[in-house]
Amino acid sequence: MSSHPIDLEAALAGFDAIWSPRIIARINDYDVRLARFSGEHVWHAHERTDEFFLVLDGEIDIALRENGGERVVTLPRGSVFVVPRGVFHKPSARAEAAVLLVEPAGTSSVGDSHEEVPGHVEVTTGHPAWTGGRP
């Protein structure tokens, strides 16, 4: 990880893959990831961890299955939301959005439990990001 400030716009400019998060920093045992959202992800749940979302650009929806029903939370630019551990959720974006995520290192992008993963969603624990830092 970089020992210099990270320019989020430069880090985002370093990739264009949708649903393929990039790790920009590590805090203790947690990854700080950048991702591009567009279209629908997959219904999934993280059994042992909450998932933090911060919308940097655009707008996203997070569908949630809880208490025997479904609801959708809409997050415009600048909004933060935490999906509690064990809650099935499905992020989506009508247009491309940039999102910062925080979750334990090694957490799968499709959780511990999930429905069938569509081809446009990468199953990953994140990729190193180019952060524009000095060598």
Side-chain angles (χ1 to χ4, degrees), residues 76-101:
R77 181 176 190 243
S79 296
V80 168
F81 187 76
V82 175
V83 175
R85 72 187 69 199
V87 172
F88 267 84
H89 59 288
K90 180 171 78 168
S92 64
R94 288 179 284 284
E96 188 172 314
V99 180
L100 184 139
L101 304 142

Side-chain angles (χ1 to χ4, degrees), residues 18-87:
I18 304 298
W19 304 118
S20 181
R22 301 303 195 255
I23 301 166
I24 59 164
R26 181 154 290 142
I27 303 169
N28 298 316
D29 296 332
Y30 282 77
D31 286 340
V32 178
R33 302 175 182 182
L34 285 179
R36 295 182 178 280
F37 289 16
S38 185
E40 294 188 350
H41 197 263
V42 61
W43 280 104
H44 67 286
H46 303 278
E47 299 301 331
R48 292 176 295 280
T49 185
D50 301 334
E51 187 170 15
F52 173 92
F53 295 81
L54 165 61
V55 179
L56 300 173
D57 193 32
E59 179 177 275
I60 69 169
D61 291 324
I62 302 177
L64 303 161
R65 289 181 180 159
E66 54 189 355
N67 303 321
E70 288 185 12
R71 70 181 177 114
V72 175
V73 176
T74 299
L75 286 79
R77 181 176 190 243
S79 296
V80 168
F81 187 76
V82 175
V83 175
R85 72 187 69 199
V87 172

